Amino acid sequence: MTILEVQNLNKHFGGIKAINNCSFSIEKNSITGLIGPNGAGKTTMFNILSGLLTPDSGSIYYQENDITNLNTHERTKLGFGRSFQSIRIFPELTTIENLILAFPENNDNLWQAFSKFQTKQKSLHKKALELLTSVNLEEKANLKGYELSYGQKKLLEILRVEANNADLVLLDEPTAGINPTLIQNIKIQIKNLQKAGKTIFIVEHNMPFIMNLCEQIIVMDQGKEIAMGTPKEIQENPQVLVAYLGKKRQTHA
Amino acid sequence: MDYILHLLILITIYSILVITMNILLGYLGILYLGHPAIYGIGAYSFALLTTKEILSFFPALLAAGLIAMLAGSILALPALRLKSHYIGMTTYGFLVIVNGLMINLGDLTRGPLGVPGIPRPIIFGHLISTNTEFLIFTSILAIIINFILWRIMGSPFSKVVEAIREDETAVKTLGKNVMKYKIQAFMITAFFGGIGGALLASYLQYISPGNFATEELIIILAMTIIGGMASFWGSIVGAIVIILLPEPLRFLNFSAEIIGALRYGIYGLLIILFMIYKPNGILGKRTNIFSK
């Protein structure tokens, strides 16, 4: 079953066609990778999918509903969640506050300031602590966001998407700049998300990571999808090699 | 003795004004420079409603808050569409416009002459006239209002407001309607700021446009920055420090004119020194409002 479908999407920045008539679809509960050389339009695609940019034309369907004109927060309410290429945790909030804020049932309505919010927040606090324990970050619960290491911040960002209870998780380069041990940790988190019935869509440059993790891969180049298939199919696709490495020189026997 | 009471009364009233200022400047993290206009609207509304005998003291106090909140919403609409320094320009422009209206709408506001004869409250038939009584009165009101604000600023609502300061885009992707939180923060600031302005008017018994001009902005800004950005208790500390700071100057034998000018010089200098050496203020958090 298709959870997300992109049809003939276009986005121009001045004369640059960042997204050029791009179409693809993603299966529910799959792990799909989005790869392509630098400047292929991957992050622009993610920004359009999460509603931070409006496409010039084309449509996006989420569970068969047209969501092209919805705001970011409206999409999140439908089930979108995302992490960013550059870390976007809240540095002045503590680790656990970062997580609690992401729960959809967080009691952050203004009027709840006059209810017994402390008791209501207790269960969320416990849930957040469980999430932190699952990645061995529980000792950092009361540290400020800026006190965490780069890798821990990255992990926290993925946890935040998990806490947000998104059905479709967009991860923008989750392993960039992270040591191999933490990468394993992130991999386990992503697998856990899938087990919990989520759909994961990843932009990544780390090829061994993505080839190993994904069931389906979409390759973009110059704003357009140029190939789709299993990791094996993609690795053997001559078009993909050309996009990544340039045209092959004629070899003489 | 009466003079000490005067200072204490000012501290209770300014604690409300600084906390409300801090909600937008510190917690929400926008360059909000229009606060004297907002609480000035509260003060003028209260003064005119009571001196023209349209409303009695307490209904007029509430009305002052509501009118200031309406003005705050009008300011919020254009200001919140903008970013960083442009918000500073817009809110400061608002201050200048409102101050200009106070001076020039002479039929309504009596222009530069100001509004005299603003009443003190009457409670159970007893007129609160002495400074001791008025201090008790403002202390009780300040405790009630500041308790409400303390409750709000310690709630999950305020965490979202702070998260918006840290990273607005990330808050959006977590499914929060960022605009709703911003406007609510504006309305809280304007409503309680308006009531604070009305209390100031009632205490001074006479207000003029000069009470709500750029000089006032410097004082309230110094209190917020020195006390501490995004800090509830810091706001109160800031109000205390800045109100008491010029007092030792009185014991120097300068003429009143020099002391008056010297006060603003000291406030300005303090803002600069704190910005360089302790941008968080005495009790505040690390915010990046002035570096955005």
Side-chain angles (χ1 to χ4, degrees):
Chain A
M1 190 193 145
T2 307
I3 187 165
L4 181 76
E5 192 173 354
V6 171
Q7 283 180 358
N8 308 323
L9 215 58
N10 282 291
K11 178 74 187 174
H12 296 202
F13 295 113
I16 300 164
K17 290 180 176 175
I19 302 290
N20 187 10
N21 205 24
C22 190
S23 306
F24 59 81
S25 64
I26 290 174
E27 289 299 302
K28 200 174 160 81
N29 204 13
S30 67
I31 301 182
T32 308
L34 178 62
I35 63 171
N38 286 321
K42 304 182 295 290
T43 297
T44 306
M45 178 56 82
F46 262 33
N47 285 342
I48 292 174
L49 290 180
S50 51
L52 296 173
L53 288 173
T54 347
D56 298 335
S57 64
S59 325
I60 307 163
Y61 293 90
Y62 178 71
Q63 292 182 325
E64 291 171 357
N65 298 314
D66 189 344
I67 59 154
T68 319
N69 296 318
L70 293 188
N71 288 334
T72 303
H73 69 91
E74 290 167 330
R75 290 183 199 206
T76 308
K77 292 225 164 91
L78 286 180
F80 275 68
R82 79 167 285 185
S83 77
F84 291 87
Q85 191 175 347
S86 54
I87 294 169
R88 299 203 117 158
I89 61 158
F90 309 118
E92 274 297 318
L93 268 52
T94 64
T95 308
I96 199 151
E97 283 170 350
N98 262 279
L99 270 186
I100 291 174
L101 199 118
F103 290 117
E105 62 270 38
N106 187 28
N107 304 296
D108 53 25
N109 194 307
L110 174 58
W111 304 113
Q112 281 172 320
F114 305 105
S115 69
K116 289 185 175 167
F117 61 81
Q118 284 103 333
T119 13
K120 287 190 201 160
Q121 290 293 86
K122 258 186 197 148
S123 63
L124 295 184
H125 196 273
K126 204 171 142 232
K127 251 171 92 178
L129 211 55
E130 276 166 21
L131 274 177
L132 286 175
T133 312
S134 72
V135 293
N136 300 321
L137 270 183
E138 71 275 17
E139 284 172 20
K140 315 277 180 196
N142 294 318
L143 287 187
K144 291 264 174 104
Y146 69 83
E147 293 175 293
L148 299 178
S149 77
Y150 182 82
Q152 289 164 342
K153 285 180 192 165
K154 209 89 186 176
L155 209 51
L156 176 59
E157 211 183 3
I158 294 175
L159 280 186
R160 207 168 61 181
V161 177
E162 207 174 324
N164 205 210
N165 207 12
D167 292 321
L168 173 64
V169 179
L170 310 176
L171 299 175
D172 198 347
E173 298 201 25
T175 74
I178 289 182
N179 73 53
T181 331
L182 261 180
I183 289 184
Q184 280 309 313
N185 217 332
I186 284 176
K187 202 177 201 169
I188 293 166
Q189 281 305 306
I190 294 173
K191 287 273 187 194
N192 283 344
L193 283 174
Q194 189 187 28
K195 271 182 214 149
K198 318 283 184 192
T199 310
I200 297 108
F201 192 25
I202 311 175
V203 164
E204 189 53 76
H205 280 296
N206 182 340
M207 283 305 143
F209 177 81
I210 207 151
M211 292 296 169
N212 184 295
L213 188 67
C214 296
E215 295 139 11
Q216 180 84 12
I217 288 175
I218 298 164
V219 188
M220 274 181 81
D221 187 31
Q222 295 178 2
K224 190 155 178 54
E225 84 291 351
I226 58 166
M228 250 179 276
T230 62
K232 195 167 180 317
E233 287 165 359
I234 294 296
Q235 276 165 320
E236 288 163 358
N237 188 323
Q239 251 188 307
V240 176
L241 291 177
V242 170
Y244 262 92
L245 303 171
K247 276 214 166 55
K248 225 180 193 176
R249 241 191 282 169
Q250 288 292 321
T251 47
H252 298 282
Chain B
M1 185 60 200
D2 214 37
Y3 188 68
I4 293 170
L5 289 174
H6 161 74
L7 294 177
L8 290 175
I9 290 167
L10 284 183
I11 287 171
T12 56
I13 295 172
Y14 271 89
S15 70
I16 300 171
L17 298 180
V18 181
I19 292 168
T20 47
M21 171 87 175
N22 217 336
I23 291 173
L24 292 186
L25 190 72
Y27 287 87
L28 183 58
I30 61 169
L31 196 51
Y32 169 62
L33 303 176
H35 208 38
I38 292 293
Y39 66 74
I41 288 170
Y44 262 90
S45 308
F46 176 81
L48 295 173
L49 285 170
T50 48
T51 52
K52 291 184 193 290
E53 292 178 354
I54 298 167
L55 287 176
S56 62
F57 189 92
F58 286 101
L61 201 62
L62 187 66
L66 292 173
I67 293 168
M69 188 164 81
L70 187 69
S73 314
I74 291 167
L75 171 61
L77 288 176
L80 292 179
R81 288 172 179 275
L82 303 169
K83 288 223 182 316
S84 66
H85 301 97
Y86 298 102
I87 296 184
M89 297 296 284
T90 313
T91 51
Y92 184 66
F94 181 77
L95 169 65
V96 174
I97 291 169
V98 169
N99 212 246
L101 290 176
M102 286 171 184
I103 295 168
N104 293 309
L105 286 181
D107 292 342
L108 183 67
T109 65
R110 292 171 41 94
L113 296 174
V115 186
I118 304 166
R120 292 280 175 90
I122 298 170
I123 295 171
F124 299 121
H126 176 73
L127 177 70
I128 306 288
S129 55
T130 68
N131 271 1
T132 316
E133 288 169 332
F134 202 80
L135 176 62
I136 295 168
F137 171 70
T138 53
S139 297
I140 292 170
L141 269 188
I143 287 170
I144 294 170
I145 290 172
N146 289 341
F147 175 76
I148 294 171
L149 293 172
W150 174 76
R151 188 77 192 173
I152 293 173
M153 294 343 276
S155 75
F157 167 81
S158 136
K159 287 293 162 208
V160 178
V161 171
E162 287 200 67
I164 292 171
R165 173 192 73 215
E166 309 276 289
D167 196 325
E168 190 172 330
T169 306
V171 179
K172 277 187 196 162
T173 62
L174 292 176
K176 316 280 181 205
N177 184 351
V178 169
M179 206 40 138
K180 186 184 95 184
Y181 291 92
K182 284 182 170 180
I183 288 177
Q184 284 175 340
F186 243 99
M187 289 169 93
I188 296 166
T189 292
F191 178 72
F192 291 106
I195 291 179
L199 283 176
L200 190 67
S202 170
Y203 173 60
L204 299 174
Q205 295 183 289
Y206 163 77
I207 53 169
S208 68
N211 291 101
F212 311 103
T214 304
E215 289 83 350
E216 272 293 304
L217 174 65
I218 292 172
I219 294 176
I220 204 98
L221 209 52
M223 289 173 175
T224 316
I225 290 169
I226 290 165
M229 300 287 249
S231 163
F232 178 86
W233 296 108
S235 307
I236 295 172
V237 171
I240 295 171
V241 169
I242 293 298
I243 286 172
L244 298 185
L245 191 76
E247 294 315 314
L249 290 179
R250 286 178 195 282
F251 300 105
L252 301 174
N253 281 327
F254 289 136
S255 72
E257 288 155 42
I258 294 178
I259 288 181
L262 207 57
R263 260 178 65 200
Y264 290 106
I266 291 173
Y267 295 148
L269 188 67
L270 272 175
I271 293 179
I272 293 170
L273 289 176
F274 265 84
M275 290 272 77
I276 296 173
Y277 296 108
K278 206 166 178 353
N280 310 348
I282 296 170
L283 290 175
K285 287 185 189 166
R286 204 179 62 150
T287 58
N288 52 359
I289 297 147
F290 297 101
S291 55
K292 265 195 264 198

